[in-house]
Structures are given as structure tokens and as C-alpha cells.
Amino acid sequence: MNGLMKSLPSPTLSGIQLPGLDTYKGWLFKWTNYLKGYQRRWFVLSNGLLSYYRTQAEMAHTCRGTIPMATAHIEVGDTCHLVVTSGGRSYHLKAISDGESQRWVSALQQAKANATHLMHHSDDSGDEGPVPQQDRALTQGVLKTLASKLDDLSTCNDLIGKHGAALQRSLSELEDLRGSNDGTDKLKSVNERATLFRITSNAMINACRDFLDIAEKHNRRWQRALQYEREQRHHLEETIEQLAKQHNSLERAWRENPSTLTGVERTQEGDASDENEDAEFFDAMEESPAFITVTASDHIQHKRSGSNQSMMSGGMPNDWTHNENDSSGSNNTQRRRTRRSRIPDKPNYSLNLWSIMKNCIGKELSKIPMPVNFNEPLSMLQRLSEDLEYSELLDRAARCNSSLEQMCLVAAFSVSSYSTTVHRTAKPFNPLLGETYELDRLDEYGYRSISEQVSHHPPAAAHHVTSQRGWTLWQEITIDSKFRGKYISVMPLGCIHLKFHSTGNHYVWSKVTSTVHNIIVGKLWIDQSGDIEIVNTTTKDTCHLKFLPYSYFSREVPRKVTGVVESREGTAHYILSGTWDDKMEGAKIVDSSQGCGGSEGKQKTVYQTLPPKLLWKKYPLPDNAENMHFFSSLALTLNEPEEGVAPTDSRLRPDQRLMEAGLWDEANGQKQRLEERQRLERKRREAQANQALEEGQDFEGYQPLWFERRTDDSTGESTYVYRGGYWEAKEKQDWSQCPEIF
């Protein structure tokens, strides 16, 4: 199985011919821990280094460990065992047979002898270990010498050019004066200039020789210093990875309540943390709400029941509770069309970030094609439409008589849009300019939704929803993202507008920041953090929602959301609490008081409330969701083919369809084609704009087909709003205005 693969040419140092350095490859069993024992690993002995990998395929991108043979100690045991130790790191290895063990020992000893011989003859100093101060001073001196030699080379180069040109001129003049009496003087001049040229050339050759001698003399020292730095970096990476695994193990044990763990369970937890690459990292800081909620006692509730009966009817009217949802849904069950409940399982394709990025070195950043491995088979337009998963909250809010109760349901709706993201760490496809997506659920849920990509740089999408059940929603979202080393922050910019037809109440709010953690190492996980300020521009009621960032040290429930609903006078009326991945509850405030001093001497308001009532509860995920990108029931239907949609609809995008079908290689090819086509189209528009500018003519840039920019009367902001015409064009099947983008 193993064998001597090839012999490398022996280097010559200071005139000494050294033995060849052998490359030896093969399988060995390496001791990992007391739980897993010996594990089969692929070892490579090459260039004085012993490295190992989990598989042969990993040789292209991931080395699991390296030991330099120059400082290694080889210990041979019985029954095919051997131990290789260097710098406090030891590999306990086992071969499959005595013969195999002996061949490895011979190769290791030969590699150690060769590496030691190279080290001894690399320079005259004979230093075995790194001496930082001496090395630094020596390196500085060598660099100054090399810089001086480079200056000499530059000077010689200039002189050679100068004298060479003069010599060429003299030769030309000599050719012109052939047979003339002045030939003798010209010949003398040519000889002088030829002598100068020869002297300068010799100086150039000597300077080159000196430069080469100095570089060769110190080449081995620099190689050894570089190898040392590589080993130190690799050792540091291994240490950090081990700390991360231990951190993950402790965090998991804490989340699973260590007091209930048995000895066997603790052992299994340690086993999982040994070489588990799905490590999680949590580094968010804890934040606490500025108020304390206390549920009112029974006698206080009875005492206040008379004054609150009309408002609460057990706390809230029927429209405010979730029971109404069941009846409204049953009325439309007979009319709902059957939609798909599953998509093809996600292929188990491994993804290595470095293997992708190393192939992009030297390429223009805008032309680097990111593979679909990072995506889910939905576009950003479809993700916007997915916010309507819990549209029944707005249906119930439209039936509310109280604007404060209506605000509670609007707040619950704003939180519900994040419930689908808890396991969805893959990014949606970036829509092409002019791409659209319609979601027609008029028969099932009473609404129609249309969205369009209105800008490409920066990427911006406009969305419009009209419901027959008394509300209209529209938004323009621009995505801004920042890579911060261990995580990526995604910040949606823009406002969401919601207007109820019966009351005219107009609500405005924005989205919070989404953070994807463990971009480079570990298991990806997503968190939502920040504040949402919902304002009713009609009544001036407000709701302040706070998304608490996850913290390892926090005692709060993970993914917690708290909120206070206030009237225009600033009086708090409702307390909202829950988690953005599960549910939201609302409780009516019956009394408030100032509590004791909190952190930094600030007093917290103590709110006394009635028992909370459920506003929103997340639907369970479909069966086998983990193999279908963790899509919800609505998300599974978003990319379902439908007849009659516009030719620019996201359902017709070829790379997205191929990815959903599991044909990722073909999807990557189509994705690259579409992106290149979009770049060419953008360059064409830029050329037209430049030409119009040169000719002094006005140039109208790209204009969306279904949306136009207007100034909002309530906020004063300029935003894209629906201009109309899409559903009429669909009814006539007249798509002649649509561009060909796919």
C-alpha cells in the first residue's frame, strides 16, 4: 500500500553533495483520544516534514498537522507502534504490519538525517533554534547589503545603456566615414567607447555575481525561518480550534442542563467535541430591557374587571386572539388549490471556502462567480414575499376597533417575518435587474403580491401587496452587508409601510440587523438584533421592539424580543414579549411604578399587567425540512411553476430551477452566464449614458416597469411604489413590455 514514491534531486550547498530527500505516502493509524482510539489517516513525508490528512482528497486544501523531521525524535515500540515527537507535539502511530512499520521507520530516519544535514550546512553560524534579536539584526544587515547591490546594478544598467548608445553612434559614424581621412580619429573614439562599455559590463556582471552569492548564502536561513513561522502559525491555529471545540462542548452542556446528564452522556459529548467541525461561537453582548413586568394578582384583576371588561373581554376581544385564525381559515379550505408540499432533497455537496477563493486569485472582484453552494433555491424577491407567511395577523388587525390593539398585532407580524430565518443560513439568489415575482393567493388568503428588482447597484427591490381583507403593504428594501471577520452583518435599509383601509391607520417600520456567525470556521448560525420602532403616522401611537442579541453569559431566553406599545401621549398600554423564532404574547398594563435602581443607577419601570395572551405562534416546519433547506410550508410553494406569470418571474430563472432540482454543476454554469450577461448590459447602458453626456443630451437611466419613484406624504421620503398594470397585463397575457433577462 505504501512505498517510496520518488526521489527528489539532492541540493548542493557549499560544494557538498547531500543525500536525496525521500517522499513517502501511505495510511497509518493515529491515536486521537480515549473515546475514538486509533483513527485511519493519510500521512505524507516530504521535504523534511511529516504531515497528515483525513483523506487523500484533503491534500489539496486542508492539512491536519505537521511535524518537522529536523527536530523530531523517533521512538519505535512493539506491535507495529511508533511515536514521533517534536516541539512538545507527539504523534502516536500504528502500522498495519511489522514490515510496513519498518519501512516507515526507515523513511522517517532517513528524512530526519537529511533534514539535520541540511540544517547543519545551511550557513556558517550553525544556529539550531531561532534567535530573534540576532536573526533580526542579521536580516537587516543582509537586506541593506542587497539594497546596496541593487543600487549598483541599477547604476551599471544606466551606464551600459548610455555607453551602448554612444558606441552605436560611433559605429554608425565610422560606417559613414569609410575611406575618409578622419577614419583614424573615429576608430580611436570607437575603441575608447568599446572599452568603457566592456568595463561597465564587467562591473554589472560582478555586481550580479555578488548579489547572487549573498542571496544563495542566506537562502537556507530564510527558508528555515519561514518554515518556523509556518509551524508556529499552524500550531496557533490548532490551539484556537481546540479552544473553540472546548467552548462549544461547554456551551452545549450548559444548554442541555448539566445536572441531568449521565456519565455516558458526558462521554458522548466529549466524543462529539473531539474532532467536530460544526463548532459554534457566541460573542454577542447581553442587553436587558428597561422595564420589569409583574403579573397582577387575582384580587387586583377582579377589582379591575369592570373597567377592563369592554377592552379585554378576558383581556382582548376575539379579533385579538389567535382563535379567530382557525375559523377564518376553515371558510376558505374548500377553495384552496393543492400546492406542493416538498421539493427535491438538497444534495450533500461539501464546500470548502478556501478551495473556492484560491481559484479567484488575480481575478477582478466583480467577475468572481460565487457558486450556488452558498445559495438556497429562492431569490431575494421570493424571500420578501415570504414575510406574508402570517398574513392572517394583518387580517385580524384590520378588524380591530382599537388602534393600540391593532398596533400589537402589527408588531407581532413584524416579528413573525424572522421566524423562517432561524435555520436559513444560505443566501437567496440576487435578482437580476428587471426580475419580478408575483405571489397570487387571492383565493386562499385574499392577497396579491408583486415585487420587482428596481436597481442593481446598489441592489434594491420594491414590493407591493394588496389584500381584499382590508390592508395594503408596500416596501422598498436595499441590502447593505459588512464582513467583520468571524461574521457577516446584513442590514436591510428602507421602510415598510402598512395601511388599513377602514381606519386609514398608516404604520411605518424598518427591519433589524441579521448576523450570520462562524463564516470561516464552525457551524453557521444566524441571530437578529437591534430595535424596531413602529409608528402609526395617523394616531401617533408607537411600539418599540427590542431584539436582544444572543449572549453566552445571558440568563435571558435565546432570541428574545420585548416591546412596549405607547399612545401618542407616551403612556404605555401593552407589554409584548416572546422570541422571534417561536411566538409573541401581549399583556395589558393595569398599573406602573418606578422600581429600584438598575444598572448604572437607572431606575426601571415596573409594569403590572393582566395575564398575557398569545398573539402569534410559529407553524411547525414540514416533515423532512432539514433536507429541503429548512423551508416552511409557504417557502416550499414559492418556486412552484405556474402558468401565465411574466417572463421575468423568478420561477423561470434557469440557475435557480436547476439548483432546486439538485443539478448544482449545471446551475453554476447558468448562474455565471446570467451574471456575465447582466454585466455586459450594464456596460452598454453606461456607454449610452457617456455618449449622451458627450453630445450634451439628456439620458434617462433604467426605469422599472411596474414601480415608480414617489415622495411619501406621511414620511416625506422618496420611495418606489407600485404604478399598476401588472395584473391587467397578466389577465390579457400581454408581456410585450417585459425585457428578456433570462
Side-chain angles (χ1 to χ4, degrees):
M1 181 183 299
N2 303 331
L4 197 61
M5 305 300 293
K6 65 177 181 178
S7 294
L8 300 178
S10 303
T12 302
L13 296 177
S14 304
I16 300 175
Q17 187 73 18
L18 300 180
L21 293 179
D22 296 333
T23 295
Y24 199 78
K25 302 178 182 180
W27 292 101
L28 286 174
F29 289 89
K30 178 182 176 293
W31 175 263
T32 56
N33 54 51
Y34 286 99
L35 297 174
K36 292 189 174 182
Y38 283 96
Q39 296 293 319
R40 192 167 177 253
R41 298 289 183 261
W42 179 256
F43 278 82
V44 177
L45 177 62
S46 178
N47 295 329
L49 298 175
L50 177 64
S51 306
Y52 79 94
Y53 311 84
R54 286 188 178 176
T55 63
Q56 291 175 263
E58 277 195 347
M59 291 179 63
H61 51 80
T62 306
C63 178
R64 299 291 173 176
T66 301
I67 281 185
M69 297 308 301
T71 58
H73 174 69
I74 304 171
E75 181 180 349
V76 181
D78 53 0
T79 63
C80 308
H81 287 77
L82 61 146
V83 181
V84 183
T85 304
S86 176
R89 188 183 309 173
S90 297
Y91 291 168
H92 295 261
L93 308 175
K94 184 173 66 172
I96 59 174
S97 65
D98 290 334
E100 197 65 34
S101 175
Q102 186 58 44
R103 285 191 289 272
W104 269 106
V105 171
S106 300
L108 291 171
Q109 290 175 344
Q110 180 66 26
K112 176 177 171 62
N114 292 340
T116 305
H117 207 173
L118 281 174
M119 180 178 292
H120 288 166
H121 293 84
S122 62
D123 55 70
D124 297 332
S125 64
D127 295 336
E128 292 296 331
V131 184
Q133 294 298 335
Q134 296 179 6
D135 282 353
R136 188 177 298 111
L138 180 60
T139 302
Q140 292 295 334
V142 173
L143 289 177
K144 289 181 180 179
T145 304
L146 290 176
S148 176
K149 294 298 179 182
L150 281 176
D151 291 338
D152 293 344
L153 289 173
S154 178
T155 302
C156 291
N157 181 61
D158 294 340
L159 290 174
I160 286 176
K162 178 180 178 181
H163 294 320
L167 180 60
Q168 184 65 38
R169 286 196 303 271
S170 298
L171 290 173
S172 299
E173 292 173 358
L174 183 62
E175 183 70 24
D176 296 337
L177 294 175
R178 180 177 299 176
S180 173
N181 295 330
D182 297 335
T184 303
D185 296 335
K186 291 297 181 181
L187 184 60
K188 183 179 179 180
S189 175
V190 169
N191 288 333
E192 290 176 354
R193 292 179 178 178
T195 302
L196 288 174
F197 185 80
R198 184 174 64 253
I199 293 172
T200 308
S201 300
N202 289 336
M204 181 74 166
I205 293 172
N206 292 332
C208 290
R209 184 181 293 113
D210 293 341
F211 184 90
L212 183 60
D213 290 342
I214 295 173
E216 286 182 345
K217 181 179 179 180
H218 296 277
N219 181 47
R220 285 297 172 185
R221 173 185 291 275
W222 291 339
Q223 285 187 354
R224 189 180 60 183
L226 179 61
Q227 180 60 34
Y228 174 78
E229 293 299 330
R230 286 174 176 171
E231 293 172 4
Q232 291 297 102
R233 185 187 67 177
H234 186 74
H235 180 65
L236 180 61
E237 290 175 350
E238 286 186 340
T239 303
I240 293 175
E241 183 179 0
Q242 187 62 29
L243 288 174
K245 292 173 181 177
Q246 294 175 2
H247 174 91
N248 182 41
S249 176
L250 291 173
E251 203 277 338
R252 287 183 177 179
W254 175 80
R255 291 172 66 181
E256 295 176 6
N257 191 357
S259 60
T260 62
L261 296 177
T262 64
V264 175
E265 289 171 337
R266 292 178 184 271
T267 301
Q268 293 175 345
E269 188 67 38
D271 178 24
S273 66
D274 171 51
E275 290 188 345
N276 181 18
E277 296 179 354
D278 296 337
E280 298 181 9
F281 301 89
F282 306 93
D283 58 357
M285 298 301 296
E286 176 183 2
E287 297 183 33
S288 58
F291 57 86
I292 301 173
T293 305
V294 179
T295 304
S297 58
D298 292 340
H299 71 278
I300 295 179
Q301 293 183 40
H302 291 308
K303 182 178 179 180
R304 298 177 179 269
S305 60
S307 60
N308 291 321
Q309 188 68 28
S310 60
M311 186 68 178
M312 300 300 294
S313 182
M316 304 168 189
N318 289 337
D319 288 346
W320 219 61
T321 64
H322 65 286
N323 296 330
E324 182 75 16
N325 180 37
D326 299 335
S327 61
S328 63
S330 60
N331 293 336
N332 296 311
T333 303
Q334 297 177 351
R335 292 187 296 171
R336 293 180 182 175
R337 56 168 284 189
T338 301
R339 300 190 183 272
R340 68 180 185 181
S341 59
R342 65 170 294 108
I343 59 175
D345 287 355
K346 176 182 177 182
N348 188 21
Y349 289 158
S350 60
L351 174 64
N352 181 270
L353 183 61
W354 172 243
S355 65
I356 295 170
M357 298 306 295
K358 70 179 181 180
N359 295 326
C360 300
I361 296 175
K363 295 182 179 180
E364 185 181 342
L365 186 61
S366 62
K367 294 184 178 180
I368 296 176
M370 297 304 290
V372 298
N373 305 57
F374 292 101
N375 294 90
E376 61 179 16
L378 290 178
S379 73
M380 178 58 73
L381 301 180
Q382 290 166 312
R383 284 291 291 267
L384 282 179
S385 304
E386 199 175 346
D387 289 352
L388 301 171
E389 175 123 18
Y390 299 94
S391 62
E392 69 272 7
L393 290 171
L394 301 183
D395 298 341
R396 286 154 46 195
R399 296 191 293 269
C400 286
N401 296 322
S402 168
S403 63
L404 295 174
E405 297 172 12
Q406 191 177 71
M407 175 70 81
C408 293
L409 288 169
V410 172
F413 173 78
S414 69
V415 175
S416 70
S417 62
Y418 299 98
S419 64
T420 61
T421 67
V422 62
H423 300 296
R424 305 266 291 279
T425 54
K427 66 182 291 291
F429 280 79
N430 292 327
L432 304 176
L433 186 62
E435 185 173 334
T436 61
Y437 180 73
E438 70 160 70
L439 184 64
D440 189 347
R441 295 292 189 268
L442 208 59
D443 295 337
E444 297 101 318
Y445 303 107
Y447 67 79
R448 276 177 168 179
S449 164
I450 176 63
S451 53
E452 181 181 4
Q453 187 77 359
V454 296
S455 173
H456 186 61
H457 287 294
H463 184 208
H464 182 85
V465 190
T466 301
S467 174
Q468 293 179 337
R469 300 178 184 177
W471 54 269
T472 300
L473 181 145
W474 67 97
Q475 60 179 318
E476 178 196 344
I477 298 296
T478 301
I479 300 297
D480 184 22
S481 61
K482 293 186 182 298
F483 177 64
R484 304 182 184 273
K486 292 194 303 181
Y487 59 91
I488 289 180
S489 297
V490 180
M491 294 153 286
L493 307 177
C495 293
I496 304 173
H497 297 259
L498 173 66
K499 190 170 185 178
F500 291 99
H501 303 164
S502 59
T503 61
N505 288 337
H506 182 181
Y507 295 86
V508 182
W509 71 93
S510 57
K511 290 180 174 287
V512 296
T513 299
S514 301
T515 306
V516 183
H517 294 265
N518 295 349
I519 295 298
I520 303 299
V521 179
K523 181 180 180 181
L524 293 175
W525 62 280
I526 194 168
D527 193 22
Q528 313 289 348
S529 59
D531 298 342
I532 292 180
E533 189 78 20
I534 305 176
V535 179
N536 185 339
T537 60
T538 305
T539 64
K540 307 305 178 184
D541 299 335
T542 61
C543 174
H544 183 79
L545 293 173
K546 190 175 191 63
F547 288 65
L548 301 181
Y550 182 82
S551 173
Y552 176 78
F553 302 100
S554 175
R555 297 182 181 180
E556 298 286 357
V557 177
R559 309 181 183 95
K560 185 174 182 179
V561 181
T562 60
V564 181
V565 176
E566 297 179 344
S567 61
R568 65 184 305 166
E569 294 82 11
T571 304
H573 289 267
Y574 291 95
I575 292 294
L576 308 180
S577 63
T579 58
W580 54 263
D581 67 325
D582 185 27
K583 65 179 180 180
M584 287 295 293
E585 295 178 334
K588 182 173 177 59
I589 299 173
V590 295
D591 195 10
S592 65
S593 61
Q594 292 296 323
C596 57
S599 61
E600 302 179 358
K602 297 180 181 179
Q603 287 188 333
K604 290 188 175 182
T605 303
V606 178
Y607 291 120
Q608 198 172 44
T609 67
L610 296 176
K613 290 188 175 293
L614 185 67
L615 296 174
W616 159 75
K617 176 72 175 176
K618 179 186 176 182
Y619 298 141
L621 290 176
D623 295 337
N624 196 40
E626 64 277 4
N627 295 321
M628 298 186 294
H629 309 274
F630 287 99
F631 280 178
S632 64
S633 298
L634 175 62
L636 289 174
T637 68
L638 292 179
N639 208 41
E640 185 176 7
E642 291 192 14
E643 296 181 357
V645 298
T648 55
D649 197 274
S650 298
R651 298 176 179 88
L652 305 177
R653 182 166 174 163
D655 52 351
Q656 192 172 300
R657 296 232 63 89
L658 288 169
M659 183 192 178
E660 182 184 273
L663 304 174
W664 285 18
D665 292 337
E666 293 83 350
N668 280 321
Q670 287 291 330
K671 184 172 185 289
Q672 189 171 357
R673 178 186 66 82
L674 292 175
E675 291 173 349
E676 182 62 27
R677 178 173 180 173
Q678 183 167 240
R679 279 191 289 267
L680 294 176
E681 181 65 22
R682 185 179 74 249
K683 290 180 179 179
R684 185 187 64 81
R685 287 195 300 270
E686 291 174 352
Q688 291 177 348
N690 293 332
Q691 182 179 357
L693 182 63
E694 293 174 356
E695 296 175 355
Q697 300 177 356
D698 294 334
F699 179 77
E700 186 178 17
Y702 177 80
Q703 297 297 323
L705 187 57
W706 310 111
F707 289 81
E708 62 183 0
R709 185 171 288 280
R710 297 179 191 167
T711 300
D712 186 83
D713 296 334
S714 58
T715 63
E717 297 179 353
S718 178
T719 183
Y720 280 99
V721 296
Y722 180 56
R723 72 171 68 189
Y726 178 86
W727 302 109
E728 293 78 6
K730 181 183 179 181
E731 184 177 356
K732 299 176 183 178
Q733 283 299 293
D734 179 12
W735 303 118
S736 57
Q737 302 180 63
C738 294
E740 184 181 351
I741 60 175
F742 299 141

